[in-house]
Amino acid sequence: MNPIFLFNLASRQLHHLTARQAVIAGNVANANTPGYQARDLTPFRDVLNKTALSMAATHAGHLGIDGPSARPARAAASDGWDVVHSGNSVNLEEQLMKAGEVSRDQALNSGIVKSFNRMLAMSVKSGQ
């Protein structure tokens, strides 16, 4: 049986979403810190688009193609909606919207994994 990479991809997205949620929480925690600049991670779809996936040769006749390995996401300064007099660029409404996006993406991810898991279970049951 060949490995199923959907679970690996879903796991990587959950790690990314967890890191993004931590960055957003840090922004909210520093909402009143003078000079604090809001940070954010690159959305997972952009990270995935930039990642060169390498092909695996599973048969002697397959061509081997090597690509660069993926790098973990790094938090970068975010263009905040507005900067207050103290130099703080955290906007709580913006951060709450981003937290909602992360929550929605986590729910979608878990829904896809549950559906795929049920599909696998049904195929195993019907194959007996």
Side-chain angles (χ1 to χ4, degrees), residues 42-101:
T42 306
F44 186 72
R45 65 181 168 275
D46 294 342
V47 172
L48 193 59
N49 287 338
K50 291 179 185 178
T51 302
L53 300 175
S54 59
M55 302 293 285
T58 57
H59 186 270
H62 292 170
L63 296 175
I65 302 173
D66 294 326
S69 61
R71 295 188 178 134
R74 303 247 190 270
S78 172
D79 294 331
W81 285 0
D82 54 358
V83 178
V84 294
H85 182 66
S86 67
N88 187 313
S89 68
V90 176
N91 183 304
L92 291 178
E93 291 85 7
E94 177 187 18
Q95 298 306 312
L96 290 175
M97 286 176 51
K98 288 180 182 180
E101 288 175 14

Side-chain angles (χ1 to χ4, degrees), residues 1-125:
M1 178 177 211
N2 292 332
I4 300 172
F5 295 105
L6 177 70
F7 294 122
N8 187 22
L9 182 63
S11 175
R12 289 180 187 268
Q13 184 188 27
L14 281 177
H15 285 299
H16 183 272
L17 291 171
T18 302
R20 187 166 188 225
Q21 190 70 26
V23 169
I24 292 168
N27 289 342
V28 171
N30 288 294
N32 293 324
T33 304
Y36 183 81
Q37 296 297 311
R39 301 181 315 161
D40 197 3
L41 292 181
T42 306
F44 186 72
R45 65 181 168 275
D46 294 342
V47 172
L48 193 59
N49 287 338
K50 291 179 185 178
T51 302
L53 300 175
S54 59
M55 302 293 285
T58 57
H59 186 270
H62 292 170
L63 296 175
I65 302 173
D66 294 326
S69 61
R71 295 188 178 134
R74 303 247 190 270
S78 172
D79 294 331
W81 285 0
D82 54 358
V83 178
V84 294
H85 182 66
S86 67
N88 187 313
S89 68
V90 176
N91 183 304
L92 291 178
E93 291 85 7
E94 177 187 18
Q95 298 306 312
L96 290 175
M97 286 176 51
K98 288 180 182 180
E101 288 175 14
V102 170
S103 176
R104 185 186 66 234
D105 289 347
Q106 287 173 333
L108 179 63
N109 184 308
S110 64
I112 290 171
V113 169
K114 283 180 189 177
S115 296
F116 191 69
N117 193 20
R118 273 188 301 224
M119 183 183 70
L120 282 175
M122 293 291 284
S123 66
V124 169
K125 287 179 184 177

